[in-house]
Structure formats: C-alpha cells, structure tokens
Amino acid sequence: MAKPALRSIPVAKIEADPDQPRKLFTEEELAELAASMKKLGQLQPVAVRKTGKPGHYRLVVGERRWRAAQQGDIAELSAMVWEMDDEAAFIAQVAENVNRMDMTPMEEASAYARLADAGWETEAIAELFGKSQPYIGWRIDLLGLIDDAKQLVAKGQMQVGVAWYVCRLSADQQRRFVVRWARGEFSSARDAEAFAKACKAAEDQAEFFQLDKAEHDEEAQARVVEERKKVVSKIERLSAAGKVLHELAQMDAEELARVLAGAEGGVAGHRQRVDDLRSLAGKVSAKLRKAQALAAAATVELDPDVAVSIPAELVDVAPVSAG
C-alpha cells in the first residue's frame, strides 16, 4: 500500500462512507467536538481515499470529526489520503473504533459478521483486532437477538453478558424475556441470566417442566403433590436451625472462646461444622435459584400487546460477563 499524503481538503468535497460500521453519533458529542475544533484547531487529521469523481474523497476514519466540522462551519480538514480498496477501508474503520467506546456492541457484531461473510476465519478476525476467538464468536452471536433486544444492547440498557444468553433463545422466548426485563422483574443481571438459561433448557428439552393436568393422570398428579409436601416439610424444618444460628450470632467472640475452648473438638471443630452447613446452604440456594428461574420460565405468560418501555434504573443493573 502506498504511503498516504497529507492534504488540506474542503469539507464539502469529503463524503461519508455508507458502509461505515459505526452508525450512532450523538448531537452532544458532536457539539462538544465542534467547539473544541474551533477553539484549538484540528488536532488529528482524518483519513480519506479518492472516489471516482476528481477532487472528491470518501472518509475512511474520522467521520465524527467530519460531522463536527460541518456543524461548526469549519471549511477545511487536514486529511491523510490513502490508496486502498473497500475491504481495506472497512478494516481500518473497524480498527479505529473497536477498542474505543465509539462502537456499540451491535455495531461491533455487525462488523465482525461482515468480515466473516467475506470469507475471513474467526481466528484471522481475532488476530486482526487483538481479540480472542471466543470473543469474536460471542459478538457475532448477538446478531441473533430480536430487534427490541438489539436496541436495548445498542443503547446500553441491557448488558452484553445477559444479551448473549438471550440471543440463544427462540424469537418467542426472547420476546417473553424482553417483556419481563422492561417491567423490571429481574432483581439483578444474574437473575436475568438465570431466567434466560432456564428458558434455553426448557426449549432444549421441548417442555416447561410443568405438570399439565390435562395431560397427566390422577396418579401422576398425586405423586407430585406428595413429593412437594416432603420437600416443603424439609425446608420448613430449616427454620429451627435458623433460630439456633441466630442465637449463636448474638454471642461475642470472647464468650464463644471461653465456652468452647474445653469442648471436644475445640473452637476450630465447631467452627468447621458451621462452615460445612454454610457450604451446603450455598449449594441448596444455588439449586433453588435455578429452580426459581425454571419455574418462572414455565409459568410466565407473554402478552404480545404489552408496550415495552425501559425504566431508566435498568441501565444500572450490575454487569455479568458473557465469558
């Protein structure tokens, strides 16, 4: 590739690239940049390439600066003029934005998918942009989201980690998820992720783990009712253990040391027994969390006519990594 030449080019003779992977530019950021460029000048040249029309150029990178120049009535821009084809220009555009905050996750996903469609292997795309192969695959997977979910991700109203679990669902299940998300029915991103996983498990097994009275005989229903009583009874008996733990928690460390120091096993032995209970309680809690998500996936009905509006507080749900 020939070395670029630095030139001063009239803004009016530079056009945007319709294939630019970054699509979203806020008026606020453009206004701030325009003010900065008018006060301090253009600190970094844009990159352009020639078009078929003499004296005219197409942007490769720097569309934000170009838009700000138009907004600030700046007549000319410093530009590096490159000789490159469409693919090379697109790669440069992605590279310009991918490791900054400029691209939304959905724009990034579309960019990687475009390269993949052009014959690039995932390994080559990952190497080109300094990412891992799984990262590239996860991003491309996001294109499986329904439009409403894509918009939530693009606007930063749904974390990429949650969205990845949602994108693996059918369109109907995704719509069910989006309705619950919009209503604020998940207490955290982890709960939302668990619900999506449960929906996926239900889809994979082609059922909702639900006893349908219309399809099961009285004997089957009776077995479930009896088993339910046994499990509920066991969980209810835990309240007694909870009272004991509450009483122990009220004792101070000095008192526990004095009372248990001479007991068989000593303080360490009794602490180990409590730690074992805590470990078991954690495992049971994790299974109950999954069971809760499975039950929610089985019983929540979707009203397709519900208008989806996104509460502002959902933007601040704690993020969950997709990896």
Side-chain angles (χ1 to χ4, degrees):
M1 184 182 296
K3 290 184 177 181
L6 180 62
R7 298 180 185 174
S8 181
I9 302 175
V11 172
K13 291 189 176 182
I14 301 175
E15 64 182 41
D17 187 339
D19 292 328
Q20 159 70 253
R22 185 188 179 196
K23 305 296 183 184
L24 299 178
F25 300 87
T26 67
E27 290 301 318
E28 182 179 357
E29 68 173 327
L30 292 177
E32 290 179 355
L33 182 56
S36 174
M37 290 173 67
K38 291 183 73 172
K39 181 178 180 179
L40 303 175
Q42 182 185 350
L43 301 181
Q44 183 178 3
V46 299
V48 300
R49 55 181 176 139
K50 296 178 181 178
T51 67
K53 187 177 181 180
H56 285 72
Y57 302 85
R58 176 169 292 175
L59 279 166
V60 177
V61 295
E63 183 168 342
R64 191 167 67 98
R65 278 161 277 165
W66 174 73
R67 287 173 179 255
Q70 291 179 309
Q71 187 166 314
D73 294 323
I74 297 172
E76 294 189 340
L77 283 175
S78 296
M80 302 295 293
V81 181
W82 289 84
E83 299 286 344
M84 60 175 61
D85 59 18
D86 290 347
E87 184 177 81
F90 182 74
I91 292 172
Q93 290 164 349
V94 177
E96 167 75 5
N97 293 296
V98 74
N99 288 319
R100 298 162 51 182
M101 296 300 291
D102 292 348
M103 293 182 78
T104 70
M106 297 313 306
E107 289 173 342
E108 192 179 353
S110 296
Y112 296 149
R114 177 174 165 181
L115 291 174
D117 291 342
W120 284 68
E121 297 290 339
T122 302
E123 181 179 4
I125 299 173
E127 184 176 352
L128 184 65
F129 298 112
K131 305 293 184 181
S132 68
Q133 290 187 56
Y135 178 93
I136 300 298
W138 291 329
R139 278 294 191 268
I140 293 176
D141 286 345
L142 295 179
L143 297 177
L145 291 168
I146 60 173
D147 289 343
D148 285 344
K150 286 179 180 178
Q151 291 179 21
L152 292 176
V153 176
K155 295 176 181 178
Q157 294 174 328
M158 182 186 293
Q159 297 88 336
V160 173
V162 173
W164 183 80
Y165 286 100
V166 176
C167 78
R168 300 163 68 233
L169 303 175
S170 67
D172 285 343
Q173 287 286 61
Q174 288 191 41
R175 280 189 284 271
R176 296 173 70 242
F177 180 94
V178 168
V179 168
R180 287 178 62 89
W181 181 273
R183 289 172 175 166
E185 294 182 15
F186 300 114
S187 61
S188 68
R190 176 170 293 182
D191 285 343
E193 178 184 304
F195 178 82
K197 288 179 181 179
C199 289
K200 178 61 176 172
E203 286 186 334
D204 289 345
Q205 297 189 33
E207 60 181 6
F208 282 95
F209 306 100
Q210 197 172 17
L211 184 63
D212 189 332
K213 294 182 179 180
E215 298 180 3
H216 295 80
D217 58 31
E218 293 183 3
E219 184 179 351
Q221 295 177 38
R223 285 199 301 270
V224 172
V225 171
E226 185 62 28
E227 185 64 22
R228 179 183 298 128
K229 290 180 180 179
K230 291 180 181 178
V231 174
V232 170
S233 175
K234 291 176 181 178
I235 294 176
E236 287 179 344
R237 290 204 301 270
L238 291 176
S239 61
K243 291 179 181 179
V244 172
L245 289 173
H246 178 74
E247 292 174 1
L248 291 173
Q250 302 307 306
M251 299 176 68
D252 61 35
E254 291 184 0
E255 184 180 3
L256 286 170
R258 177 175 55 81
V259 171
L260 295 177
E264 184 177 353
V267 178
H270 289 82
R271 177 190 170 188
Q272 184 62 53
R273 294 180 65 181
V274 174
D275 286 345
D276 289 344
L277 288 173
R278 181 177 62 180
S279 177
L280 288 171
K283 292 178 181 178
V284 173
S285 179
K287 289 190 176 182
L288 287 173
R289 183 187 299 115
K290 183 176 180 180
Q292 180 182 3
L294 286 168
T299 59
V300 171
E301 296 295 333
L302 170 67
D303 180 359
D305 297 325
V306 171
V308 177
S309 60
I310 310 302
E313 60 268 20
L314 289 182
V315 178
D316 299 323
V317 176
V320 174
S321 171

